[in-house]
Every structure is written in structure tokens, then in C-alpha cells.
Amino acid sequence: MNARRLTFAVGDIHGCLAQLEALLASIESAVPGGRIIFLGDLIDRGPESRGVVERIMAGPTKPGWEWLTLKGNHEDMLLAARRGHAEMSTWLMNGGDETMASYGGAIPLSHLVWMAERPSIIVDQYRIFAHAGVDENIPLDQQGDDILLWIRTPPNHSGDYWGKHLCHGHTPSRSNPRTVGNRTNVDSGAVFGGVLSCAVFDDDKPGGPIGFLVAESVDG
């Protein structure tokens, strides 16, 4: 095994704990260590949002791994509702009901604080990681959550992205994970009966993913 460092960027989980555990097992069996970036939307719609949040908050169980978690628009909706900045009913109708059920009706403050503290973007030497994407008409350092957590990118679009490769989730499709030019979408619709997927990047080399890993739906 060579010493290259790999990053595994995981798409929208949405309370699908069994698929998350299966994907983590695949990742950890592939290499002895590396970095995992969870691209947000850990919660809502699926049955085990609390379990997903607790699993990721707990962090790696093996040495040599670094976990980083981005905020998704569903975490944003929850936090906005709890702060009174948006209607609670809007979040509940968009998967929040299932999240509240998984928590038995009360989300611990520590979980809310942890979600609020998640960053909205990670930029490294060769890549940009964000939940939804970026807007190339705005400087990268001026992108706000209204873009990073909510933008929809047409399925066949690729930009220059300031010379970097963009990896995101947010827009589900059974055809994902999919790379188009300089952009990779890893939201494969796990909660809609699709797969939970991640893109694998070589941190020392520019460009798109060197491969993908997926965990099949375990529903029904």
C-alpha cells in the first residue's frame, strides 16, 4: 500500500443509518486511514436521523482517520425553525417529522449546537466541497449559505470552479454518483430507495474522483 492520502466525500444520508454503517465499513476496509467528508443532510426523511447524527458526532473508531462534516440545507432548515427564523411547519413537512420521531420529540441542545457549528464549505489545494454547490458569478470567499446549501446545478453543467474540482450533494438522482467535467454529484437518493455513495479523491492529484463506493438500499 502506498502512502497516498485519500478523501472520501459522502453524499446525503438523510437518516439512513444502516447504509451509513455499510459505507463506512467499505471505506475503512479499502485503506488503513484517510479523510471522510460528510457533505451534509444527515437528517430528515429517513428513519434514524438521531442515530446518524450520534454516529458521526462520535467520530472514527479506528486510528488514522479524520472526519469532517458540512452543514446541509436540512440542518439549516431545522436550525432556522428552532431559532424562529422560519416556520417550524416548513421543516416538519420536509422530513422533520421523521427526525423528531427518531429523537422521541426532543432534540438535545448538544446536537443542535454541533449542527450549527458545522462549516458550509471546505476548500483544499485541488477541490471544493459544499453541500449544494457554488455560484461562479460570485467570488469563492463571498459565497453564502443561500448558495452553498441551496443552489441547484443543472445535471450536465460543469464550470471552471477557480481551477478546482467541485464535489457536492443536495440534488438527488439515481444516475449519481456522477462526474461531469469539473463537478461530481454524490447525492444518489439513498432515502428514496437509491444508494448511499461517496467519491474517492487522491489528495495529491488534481481532478475528479479516482473511484466511487456505494452502499445499497436496505429498505424493504
Side-chain angles (χ1 to χ4, degrees), residues 45 84 93 122 154:
R45 298 198 172 114
M93 289 187 298
I122 294 171

Side-chain angles (χ1 to χ4, degrees), residues 4-220:
R4 68 179 179 175
R5 177 180 161 97
L6 301 181
T7 289
F8 300 80
V10 178
D12 303 38
I13 302 167
H14 282 303
C16 296
L17 180 59
Q19 285 173 265
L20 172 62
E21 294 286 13
L23 185 60
L24 289 173
S26 294
I27 291 171
E28 292 176 345
S29 66
V31 288
R35 178 175 66 163
I36 299 177
I37 298 177
F38 301 98
L39 295 174
D41 279 10
L42 313 183
I43 63 169
D44 294 350
R45 298 198 172 114
E48 297 184 79
S49 289
R50 179 172 190 155
V52 169
V53 172
E54 290 180 339
R55 178 67 183 90
I56 294 176
M57 285 181 68
T61 58
K62 296 182 179 181
W65 288 95
E66 175 188 17
W67 287 12
L68 302 171
T69 305
L70 293 175
K71 188 185 300 177
N73 67 300
H74 280 260
E75 287 81 33
D76 191 46
M77 279 194 290
L78 162 59
L79 294 167
R82 290 299 298 262
R83 292 167 177 162
H85 299 163
E87 292 291 335
M88 181 67 72
S89 59
T90 300
W91 171 60
L92 293 173
M93 289 187 298
N94 282 280
D97 276 331
E98 291 86 348
T99 295
M100 289 302 291
S102 76
Y103 276 96
I107 302 175
L109 179 60
S110 60
H111 288 202
L112 295 170
V113 170
W114 181 81
M115 291 181 205
E117 291 176 343
R118 296 310 93 199
S120 301
I121 189 171
I122 294 171
V123 181
D124 62 22
Q125 181 179 5
Y126 296 123
R127 291 169 193 102
I128 301 166
F129 300 93
H131 173 66
V134 295
D135 183 346
E136 285 196 285
N137 297 308
I138 299 173
L140 184 57
D141 61 359
Q142 296 179 24
Q143 309 272 326
D145 281 0
D146 57 325
I147 297 169
L148 298 171
L149 308 185
W150 291 93
I151 194 171
R152 297 285 186 187
T153 304
N156 294 316
H157 175 79
S158 172
D160 177 68
Y161 305 120
W162 303 275
K164 298 179 185 289
H165 190 90
L166 170 65
C167 183
H168 68 92
H170 182 57
T171 302
S173 173
R174 291 290 187 93
S175 65
N176 293 331
R178 181 171 179 248
T179 298
V180 178
N182 298 320
R183 183 179 64 85
T184 298
N185 184 347
V186 289
D187 183 356
S188 307
V191 77
F192 302 115
V195 300
L196 181 63
S197 63
C198 74
V200 186
F201 296 96
D202 186 331
D203 290 359
D204 295 325
K205 295 182 180 179
I210 60 174
F212 297 106
L213 294 173
V214 302
E216 299 291 336
S217 172
V218 294
D219 296 338

